[in-house]
Amino acid sequence: MITLYGIPNCDTVKKARVWLDANGAAYAFHDYKKAGVDEAALRGWVARLGWEKLLNRAGTTFRKLPDAAKVDLDAEKAIVLMLANPSAIRRPVAVKGDTLVVGFDAAQYQTLV
């Protein structure tokens, strides 16, 4: 089963959910707004992909942070920031077994189904 992490009103998450539904993929949706993000999972994603790929610096949540929170970022600071502000994580994150996909790309999602 696929676990799709994100927030329900995100357009990219909506596209991913439509694609998964259209392709008959079974998935569970994990809402960051309601359930937060699991620290161990986030640390695992960062270890595999790097914090730079997961932290959404272009998003509203990140841009609204105080400048002091955005300077001298490294993996640990980025993890703390993403745990405190899950909406700053690039969305969606899709996980199935050892497969981890960030963002939505139909070709990449083929590897999940």
Side-chain angles (χ1 to χ4, degrees):
M1 161 123 17
I2 300 163
T3 302
L4 189 72
Y5 297 85
I7 57 177
N9 62 341
C10 171
D11 288 340
T12 310
V13 170
K14 288 177 186 177
K15 288 177 190 174
R17 293 179 84 173
V18 166
W19 189 94
L20 290 168
D21 290 339
N23 287 274
Y27 69 95
F29 181 67
H30 179 99
D31 185 346
Y32 288 143
K33 294 278 190 190
K34 293 181 180 174
V37 61
D38 179 72
E39 183 174 353
L42 180 61
R43 287 184 180 280
W45 301 342
V46 168
R48 288 181 61 189
L49 301 175
W51 65 269
E52 299 91 339
K53 182 161 181 142
L54 287 163
L55 181 61
N56 183 6
R57 294 184 200 204
T60 305
T61 300
F62 185 81
R63 289 194 318 261
K64 287 184 177 180
L65 292 172
D67 288 342
K70 298 186 268 189
V71 297
D72 297 325
L73 285 173
D74 60 17
E76 189 58 32
K77 288 179 185 176
I79 288 168
V80 169
L81 191 148
M82 289 184 280
L83 286 170
N85 304 280
S87 293
I89 301 170
R90 187 165 284 136
R91 301 177 295 271
V93 175
V95 179
K96 182 179 180 187
D98 290 334
T99 305
L100 175 63
V101 177
V102 177
F104 173 70
D105 177 287
Q108 282 188 310
Y109 272 54
Q110 288 290 345
T111 65
L112 297 169
V113 294

